[in-house]
Coordinates of all heavy atoms in Angstrom, one line a residue:
Chain A
F1479 N -7.0 11.5 -14.6 CA -8.3 11.0 -14.6 C -9.3 11.8 -13.7 O -10.4 12.2 -14.2 CB -8.2 9.6 -13.9 CG -9.4 8.7 -14.0 CD1 -9.7 8.1 -15.2 CD2 -10.2 8.5 -12.9 CE1 -10.8 7.3 -15.2 CE2 -11.3 7.7 -12.9 CZ -11.6 7.1 -14.1
T1480 N -8.8 12.2 -12.5 CA -9.6 13.0 -11.6 C -10.0 14.4 -12.3 O -11.1 14.9 -12.2 CB -8.8 13.3 -10.3 OG1 -8.3 12.1 -9.9 CG2 -9.7 13.9 -9.3
W1481 N -9.0 14.9 -13.0 CA -9.1 16.2 -13.7 C -10.2 16.1 -14.7 O -11.1 16.9 -14.9 CB -7.8 16.6 -14.3 CG -7.9 17.7 -15.2 CD1 -8.0 19.1 -14.9 CD2 -7.9 17.6 -16.6 NE1 -8.0 19.8 -16.1 CE2 -8.0 18.9 -17.2 CE3 -7.9 16.6 -17.5 CZ2 -8.1 19.2 -18.5 CZ3 -7.9 16.8 -18.9 CH2 -8.0 18.1 -19.4
A1482 N -10.2 14.9 -15.5 CA -11.2 14.7 -16.5 C -12.6 14.6 -15.9 O -13.6 15.2 -16.4 CB -10.9 13.4 -17.3
L1483 N -12.7 13.9 -14.8 CA -14.0 13.8 -14.1 C -14.5 15.2 -13.7 O -15.7 15.4 -13.7 CB -13.9 12.9 -12.9 CG -13.5 11.4 -13.2 CD1 -13.3 10.6 -11.9 CD2 -14.6 10.8 -14.0
A1484 N -13.6 16.0 -13.2 CA -14.0 17.3 -12.7 C -14.4 18.2 -13.9 O -15.4 18.9 -13.8 CB -12.8 18.0 -12.0
I1485 N -13.7 18.1 -15.0 CA -14.1 18.9 -16.2 C -15.5 18.5 -16.6 O -16.3 19.3 -17.0 CB -13.1 18.5 -17.4 CG1 -11.7 19.1 -17.1 CG2 -13.6 19.0 -18.7 CD1 -11.5 20.5 -17.6
E1486 N -15.8 17.2 -16.6 CA -17.1 16.7 -17.0 C -18.1 16.8 -15.9 O -19.3 16.4 -16.1 CB -17.0 15.2 -17.5 CG -16.1 15.0 -18.7 CD -16.7 15.5 -20.0 OE1 -17.9 15.5 -20.1 OE2 -15.9 15.7 -20.9
Q1487 N -17.7 17.3 -14.7 CA -18.6 17.5 -13.6 C -19.3 16.2 -13.1 O -20.5 16.2 -12.8 CB -19.6 18.6 -13.8 CG -18.9 19.9 -14.2 CD -19.9 21.1 -14.1 OE1 -21.0 21.0 -14.6 NE2 -19.4 22.2 -13.6
V1488 N -18.6 15.1 -13.2 CA -19.2 13.8 -12.8 C -19.6 13.7 -11.3 O -20.7 13.4 -11.1 CB -18.2 12.6 -13.2 CG1 -18.7 11.3 -12.7 CG2 -18.0 12.6 -14.7
P1489 N -18.7 14.1 -10.4 CA -19.2 14.1 -9.0 C -20.4 14.9 -8.8 O -21.4 14.5 -8.1 CB -18.0 14.6 -8.2 CG -16.8 14.4 -9.1 CD -17.3 14.6 -10.5
N1490 N -20.5 16.1 -9.4 CA -21.6 17.0 -9.2 C -22.9 16.3 -9.8 O -24.0 16.4 -9.2 CB -21.4 18.3 -10.0 CG -20.8 19.3 -9.1 OD1 -20.8 19.2 -7.9 ND2 -20.3 20.4 -9.7
A1491 N -22.8 15.7 -10.9 CA -23.9 15.0 -11.6 C -24.5 13.9 -10.7 O -25.7 13.8 -10.5 CB -23.5 14.5 -12.9
I1492 N -23.5 13.1 -10.1 CA -24.0 12.0 -9.2 C -24.7 12.6 -8.0 O -25.7 12.1 -7.6 CB -22.8 11.1 -8.8 CG1 -22.2 10.5 -10.1 CG2 -23.2 10.0 -7.8 CD1 -20.9 9.7 -9.8
A1493 N -24.0 13.6 -7.4 CA -24.6 14.2 -6.2 C -26.0 14.8 -6.5 O -26.9 14.6 -5.7 CB -23.7 15.3 -5.7
T1494 N -26.1 15.5 -7.6 CA -27.4 16.1 -7.9 C -28.5 15.0 -8.1 O -29.6 15.1 -7.6 CB -27.3 16.9 -9.3 OG1 -26.2 17.7 -9.1 CG2 -28.6 17.7 -9.5
F1495 N -28.1 13.9 -8.8 CA -29.0 12.8 -9.0 C -29.4 12.2 -7.6 O -30.6 12.0 -7.4 CB -28.3 11.7 -9.8 CG -29.1 10.4 -9.8 CD1 -30.2 10.3 -10.6 CD2 -28.6 9.3 -9.1 CE1 -30.9 9.1 -10.6 CE2 -29.3 8.1 -9.1 CZ -30.5 8.0 -9.8
L1496 N -28.5 12.0 -6.7 CA -28.8 11.4 -5.5 C -29.7 12.4 -4.6 O -30.6 11.9 -3.9 CB -27.6 11.0 -4.7 CG -26.8 9.8 -5.2 CD1 -25.5 9.6 -4.5 CD2 -27.6 8.5 -5.2
L1497 N -29.4 13.7 -4.7 CA -30.1 14.6 -3.8 C -31.5 14.8 -4.4 O -32.4 15.1 -3.6 CB -29.3 16.0 -3.8 CG -28.1 16.0 -2.9 CD1 -27.3 17.2 -3.2 CD2 -28.4 15.9 -1.5
T1498 N -31.7 14.8 -5.7 CA -33.0 15.0 -6.2 C -33.9 13.7 -6.3 O -35.1 13.8 -6.5 CB -33.0 15.7 -7.6 OG1 -32.1 14.9 -8.4 CG2 -32.4 17.1 -7.5
S1499 N -33.2 12.6 -6.3 CA -34.0 11.4 -6.4 C -34.5 11.0 -5.0 O -34.2 11.6 -4.0 CB -33.1 10.2 -6.9 OG -32.2 9.9 -5.9
S1500 N -35.4 10.0 -5.0 CA -36.0 9.6 -3.7 C -35.3 8.5 -3.0 O -35.8 7.8 -2.2 CB -37.5 9.3 -3.9 OG -37.6 8.3 -5.0
I1501 N -34.0 8.2 -3.4 CA -33.3 7.1 -2.8 C -33.0 7.5 -1.4 O -32.4 8.5 -1.1 CB -32.0 6.8 -3.6 CG1 -32.3 6.5 -5.1 CG2 -31.2 5.7 -3.0 CD1 -31.1 6.4 -6.0

Side-chain angles (χ1 to χ4, degrees):
Chain A
F1479 189 77
T1480 313
W1481 166 81
L1483 294 176
I1485 291 271
E1486 299 284 339
Q1487 300 193 320
V1488 174
N1490 268 345
I1492 298 174
T1494 313
F1495 167 74
L1496 289 174
L1497 287 167
T1498 52
S1499 68
S1500 52
I1501 301 173

